[in-house]
Every structure is written in C-alpha cells, then in structure tokens.
C-alpha cells in the first residue's frame, strides 16, 4: 500500500508480499483492488466493520486479481468501498470518503470510491471495481476516468463479495485509454460478439433529455467529434414503457437480491450501518415475491428491446450521469436525489446486462463529465477499441 | 467465540485455537477479552474499523491474557469495546451496542461494554476490561456485576491499546464474588499494602450527596449491612477544593493523554468516528500545556489528600455511579449528562490511582446499582476479600 495516502483511498491494511509474475503485458503497471475481492494475506472488509471482523485473512486470491498479477501488474493495496457496495456516494461512515482527485470539492462517487480516488490521485495506474447499479460508472464520471461496466458475467467475480448477483459486474478504472486498453486485453480477451468496423451510432434522445442542459451542452463537442469519426448518430428512443418503470424494475431486482445477500448478516449481527445504506436495506427487505417476479419479467422484455435496438452493430452514445458529481458539502438528501435521478439511465446496462464504457471527454464548472458507449452483449473490447480511436481523434 | 451471541457482546472474529494450560486455579472457567488486548491469532480492533484494518493478526498474546490461560481459563472470544475506549455508553457506531443482561431496556455502559454484556448474559464466567475513567465501574454498575478498577499499574496492560496511560487500568467482571475472587488471586496475587483485619470504614457525605436520592435510598440496606459487618462508617468529606475541580483535572489529564495516544492516527487517517467520541477528541486536542500542568499538580495534591484520608486501613464506601443506567432510548445528550455527572465521583480512583471495587448489591426500578469500596493503593485483594465477607453476610 502507498505509504502515504493523501486521498484516503486505501484501507490501511498491513502490507504483505503479494507475488506477481514480474513480466507480462501489464508489467510496469500497479493497481489497487476494491475491498470486495479476496487477496491472499489480506482480509476482505466490504466496507463494513463486522464483515471485516468476520473475514479473517484470506488464503486465496480472487481469480480476476490473480489474472492481473500473472500479467505482471503490481498490487499496491485494497481500496475503500462504500458499505456493502450498496451506495453511489463514496462516503463510508466507517472507512471514510476517499477524495476525488479531479474535482476535490466534489464526491468521488461509489461504491468503487477508493479505486477511482486512487487512480485519479495517481496513486496507482488502474484499479478494480465492481458495478451493480453504477458503482464503476458513477466514480468514473466524477473523477474523470475511463471506466467499464462489462457484459454481465464476462469478468469473474469469484472470490468477491456480492451485492445483487444478477446485476454485479467487475470493472476497472484508468486515467488514459492506452492503460485502460492494456487491462482490457488481459481481463476481456477477444469479444465473443465483435463489433464490425462500421458501427451504427445511436443517440437516444429520451436518455439525453434526462441530463441537465448544462451537461448536455458540455458534452456536445465530444459527441460531435465522435460523430465526425463514426458517422452521425441516429436519434432513437431507448426507454421501455417509461424510465420510471425501468427504474423500479432495477430497484426491485437489486433490492431483493441485496436482501438475499446481506439479510442473514443483518439478522444475525445487527451491524450498525450508515443511515442511507440501512434505509435501502430496510426497503430491500420489503420487496415482495410479486414485485420481484414482475421486475424480472420486465427486465427480460427490456433486454429484448435493447438487443433489438442495438442489433450486432449498434452503439449508443449517452451521458454517463445526468450531471457532474454533487459537492461534498451537499446534503444527504441532495446526493440521494442525484442517485435516484442518475439511476434512470444507469439501469439500462444493469437491466440488459450489456456493457457500458464511460470516457472522460468533457467537463463543466471544472468538474469532469463522462460520455458513455453502450453496446450489445459481448462487445466490450470493441467499445474499448472505439474509445481508443475517439481519444486518438481528439 | 460463542456460536450464537444474542447479546452482540463479541466481535465476530473467526475462531482460532488459543491454547490454555487446561488445569490450574481457573480451570472450568471461560472468559472474554475486551478487544483492546492482543490475543495471538486475532486482530485487535479497539472498536474502530481503521484500527482493526491496521492491526493485522497478532502473533503474541498480552501477558495478562496469557496469565489467565496459564491458570487454566478458556478463552471464548474478544468483546466489543466502545470506540478507542473513549466512551462510557456502550454504543459503538461501528460495532453496535452490546445488550445489558441485567436490565435489557438500559445501556450496558462502556467502554468495556461487550465484556460486561457477555458476563451478564452468562456467555462467559468472567471477562477482562479496562478502566480509564469508569470503563469497568460503569458497566459493572449497569449490568449488575462485580467489577474492579485496580491500583494503577498493578495489572499489566502490555499488549493492549492505550487511551490515557497514566489513568488506564486493567480490570474484570464476574457475576458472583467467588468467581471474582478466583480471578483476583491469579491477576493480583498478594497485596503489597494489605488491609488490616479491622478496617476503618469511611462514608464520604459529599460523594453520597452527588447521587440521586432514589439511588441513595436503594443502596441504604446494603450500606447498613456493611456497617453491621465492619462497624459504623465514619462520615468524612472526600473532595479536594470541589468536585468540579476534580472533574476538570481528570478531564484535562485524560484529554491530553488521549490526544497523545490517538492524535497521530486521527491526523493520518481521518477515520470517521462516532459523534460523541469525535467531539471528545476534538476537545482533547485543545488541552494546553498549562492546563495539563495544573491538572497534574492538582492530581498529586488529590492523591496526597486521599492517601491521608484513607491511611493504611481506611476503606471508603460510595455509590459506584450516581444512579442506575440510562435507558437505551435516552437522548445522546441525556447519556452525556449522565456521564459528566458520574465522572465527578468516578474520577477519585482515576486521579489517585487507588483501587475501587463495585459490588452489585442493590437495584431500583428493576435495574442494578453498584456499591463501591475504594481503598488505598495496593489494597486490591483486600477489597475483594471484604466483598467476599459482605456477600457471605447478606
């Protein structure tokens, strides 16, 4: 771990030697790992003191972390996560709020808060995170980083704490697209549904309408540059029924699964939780079988809808979040509103399982804004390749 | 650790084998250890997630714990402590609030909350705690247990996290005086300043006047019984200058030392703390050299004063706390008021370094009330012997 961590990005576990292969495609790069993944010699805290206490020292390293080590990357520490990964604020009441290296007055976002913080402070070259409802995409947006929520199931979450398994994915952050692509080669390998050379760019007007006008204006030059490179984006509508219906389908699936994951812990140990997380889990407990069944059916319909819209060559370009990050001094209510509002578009990748890559291509008021590419299942590496082309053209 | 812990008294660390001698004066007894003491195979959390993260697994067991193991007692787990041991409420915002087995609607007290909780719920026979400003005496009062704050320095705190070293002591709890005395034999050995057979009982009227009238009334029969056994208590005044002066001397010494202990951690990691602990440490930081010097001088005067009052054979009998424990539903302000008020008399043992034994000899409104014996330095075992005689006579 970084001996001096001005960002409060890392959990200050005692450093233990973690062997890496030394040479390989990632040699020369160092990385942090969200404290949901097991790393041999370390506990896995999950952002909660009782989870940390129960953890003990892990004897095995999660396969995805091991893959990075085997590729020659150097592990530098475990990064702070929002409590039980069930938040997007980056404010953990037990482990602190890692700082945003790109916009110090604003929240880093979460739940992969420490990973985004560490990368944005140049404390490591890249860092692993997870994304259930936006936990990679939100901090990528807020901290000015590249961040991928991959196709669901594509990168192993074995040896990692879950939140809502049918939504959980393993992503990562980097400051530059070259580093990002090197990690993509190792973690993704070749696409099983490669994009063609000529993609069909889609601009869902209903999703763009969710964003703050100032954010839309700030993203316009980047959008224009992408259109210059890939051809004009076709205006489409992405929502199914309504964003509200999508929002609730996502919330019910996430809530029910989160309660299945964390309910036993909560019922046995009654661990004190941060107020917002506690409230969310209290609500999760109330999700009924019927709500879950309806949400699951809606989800399948949405996936079909989005698959049809994208086909094999469609790539949506959308704002990652509806605006720049909230201020650190904003009220908890304001941050919760921000979360709810952003979930209306973030839930598209969650419900569909499709990959979404956020690129740090704009800013407003001195704070970063991400523009996202959302592609069909299995097109992850293709999205990264597009990001490389886009970055090269700017 | 107890496989089922309905009291939330234990930190749920994975159980590891801790070797004990098997036979000895404490064989047949099992015990818990406040999570300030190192036990090989376990981390030491100190009631704070960042301290827990930094701890790593300890390879050595604190000598005082080892002494208990060597005497044949069986270790059953580490108990929850108030955060950084700097509280008397027993409500840790990260690890929870262990329940009070004697008065479930009331706080267990702290900072040795889990130890008192575990013993009062019969989850173990005795448990180690520490007492800086009342952290054994308060939970002993609240949970209806025997609890000793020993002569300062008498029982080793090596291998334990500190709070304010010139005030910190290692004590323990038991439900019955026989068990309590067995542990006393092991941890104290013979007194270096033994009490004579005929002690001089003192009843400081000014200390008694600090208590709630209902508490005084509830304690009266026990006091009478003690007088019947040991002779009438002589009315004296115990305070030096004023209780307010004593209170502030204690607070300044504790605050300055607590900041010396925990300031570096706070400045480096900015760990999120419970509001009351944070406030107390913020205040601790402001204690000036002059305030500390005055407090230290006062403390020496008080010690001389109390030593003169007690001589070699004087034993004060006083209420442990000014009343029964606050309710769990009381406001944080009410609990803080309770703490401040009780510190006026609790600080006598702290400032002097003299031993104080709390005995669960009364109750009111269905909640326990402790009566304390406070004796000269080195009379600890003698106080326990008096408690045995008193218990036998009731």
């Amino acid at each position: 771990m970084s001996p001096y961590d001005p960002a409060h990005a890392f959990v200050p576990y005692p450093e233990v030697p973690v062997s890496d292969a030394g040479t390989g495609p990632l040699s020369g790069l160092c990385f942090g790992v969200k404290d949901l993944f097991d790393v041999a010699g370390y506990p896995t805290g999950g952002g909660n003191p009782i989870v940390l206490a129960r953890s003990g020292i892990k004897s095995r390293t999660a396969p995805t972390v091991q893959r990075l080590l085997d590729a020659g990357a150097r592990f530098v520490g475990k990064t702070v996560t929002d409590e039980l990964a069930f938040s997007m604020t980056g404010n953990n009441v037990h482990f602190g709020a890692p700082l945003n290296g790109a916009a110090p007055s604003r929240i880093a976002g979460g739940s992969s808060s420490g990973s985004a913080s560490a990368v944005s402070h140049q404390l490591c070259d890249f860092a692993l995170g997870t994304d259930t409802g936006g936990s990679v995409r939100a901090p990528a947006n807020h901290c000015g980083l590249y961040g991928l929520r991959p196709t669901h199931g594509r990168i192993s979450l074995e040896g990692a704490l879950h939140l809502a398994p049918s939504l959980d994915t393993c992503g990562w952050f980097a400051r530059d697209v070259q580093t990002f692509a090197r990690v993509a080669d190792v973690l993704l390998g070749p696409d099983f549904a490669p994009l063609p050379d000529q993609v069909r760019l889609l601009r869902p007007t209903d999703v763009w309408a969710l964003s703050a006008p100032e954010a839309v204006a700030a993203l316009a030059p980047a959008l224009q540059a992408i259109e210059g490179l890939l051809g004009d984006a076709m205006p489409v509508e992405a929502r199914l029924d309504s964003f509200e219906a999508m929002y609730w389908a996502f919330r019910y699936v996430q809530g029910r699964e989160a309660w299945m994951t964390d309910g036993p812990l909560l019922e046995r140990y009654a661990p004190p939780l941060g107020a917002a997380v506690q409230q969310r889990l209290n609500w999760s407990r109330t999700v009924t079988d019927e709500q879950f069944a309806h949400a699951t059916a809606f989800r399948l319909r949405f996936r079909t809808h989005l698959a049809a819209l994208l086909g094999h060559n469609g790539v949506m370009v959308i704002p990652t979040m509806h605006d720049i990050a909230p201020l650190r001094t904003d009220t908890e209510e304001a941050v919760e509103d921000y979360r709810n509002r952003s979930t209306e578009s973030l839930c598209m990748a969650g419900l569909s399982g499709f990959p979404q890559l956020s690129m740090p291509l704009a800013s407003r008021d001195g704070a970063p804004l991400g523009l996202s590419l959302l592609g069909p299942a299995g097109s992850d590496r293709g999205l990264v390749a597009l990001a490389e082309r886009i970055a090269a053209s700017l």
Side-chain angles (χ1 to χ4, degrees), chain A residues 113-379:
Chain A
S113 53
S115 286
S117 173
V119 176
S120 72
H121 282 88
Q122 312 197 27
L123 301 174
C124 55
D125 298 304
F126 70 96
L128 274 192
T130 62
D131 187 314
T132 302
S135 287
V136 164
R137 292 165 289 166
N141 180 78
H142 299 354
C143 296
L145 302 173
Y146 286 88
L148 174 69
R149 174 196 164 89
T151 302
H152 184 261
R154 181 146 181 188
I155 302 179
S156 172
L157 282 169
E158 192 187 327
L161 293 171
H162 301 311
L163 172 57
S166 84
L167 298 166
D168 295 344
T169 63
C170 169
W172 71 98
F173 304 96
R175 291 183 297 280
D176 62 273
V177 75
Q178 293 79 12
T179 303
F180 199 85
R182 284 171 70 186
V183 178
D185 284 338
V186 169
L187 290 185
L188 295 170
D191 282 337
F192 53 84
L195 291 172
D197 287 340
Q198 187 59 47
V199 299
R200 194 164 43 90
L201 208 60
L202 304 172
R203 181 171 53 81
T205 51
D206 51 355
V207 176
W208 280 83
L210 296 172
S211 277
E214 301 85 346
V216 173
L219 289 167
L223 176 60
Q224 214 168 3
I226 293 173
E227 288 187 311
L229 188 71
L230 304 176
D232 282 354
M234 184 193 309
V236 294
E237 295 219 323
R239 72 178 178 278
L240 180 66
D241 297 357
S242 67
F243 285 111
E244 199 189 348
M246 292 157 61
Y247 170 90
W248 283 108
F250 178 84
R251 287 284 310 268
Y252 285 133
V253 172
Q254 182 188 40
R256 163 57 68 101
E257 294 192 8
W259 183 254
M260 285 174 70
T261 300
D262 290 322
L265 176 90
L266 271 55
E267 296 201 320
R268 175 155 189 172
Y269 296 101
L273 302 175
V277 177
Q278 180 74 65
Q279 202 165 28
R280 216 163 284 138
L281 279 161
N282 290 346
W283 177 83
S284 296
R285 185 181 198 155
T286 68
V287 176
T288 64
D289 286 351
E290 197 185 353
Q291 287 167 329
F292 184 62
H294 276 283
T296 301
F298 181 92
R299 183 182 184 179
L300 292 172
R301 281 178 55 219
F302 181 77
R303 189 191 165 97
T304 306
H305 160 72
L306 198 62
L309 201 59
L310 295 176
H312 74 292
N313 62 350
V315 173
M316 268 187 192
V317 57
I318 54 175
T320 304
M321 308 291 282
H322 68 274
D323 205 351
I324 55 176
L327 292 166
R328 291 170 67 87
T329 50
D330 281 349
T331 63
E332 205 165 313
E333 290 71 30
V335 175
E336 188 72 9
D337 281 351
Y338 181 98
R339 172 197 169 92
N340 287 332
R341 188 158 164 200
S342 62
T343 295
E344 293 187 327
S345 56
L346 286 169
C347 71
M348 292 198 297
L351 289 172
S352 65
F354 293 177
Q356 181 179 346
L357 173 67
S358 182
M359 306 173 290
L361 299 185
S363 68
R364 113 174 162 75
D365 270 3
L369 261 177
L371 192 62
S372 274
L373 303 176
L374 193 158
S379 69

Side-chain angles (χ1 to χ4, degrees), chain A residues 89 215 311:
Chain A
T89 67

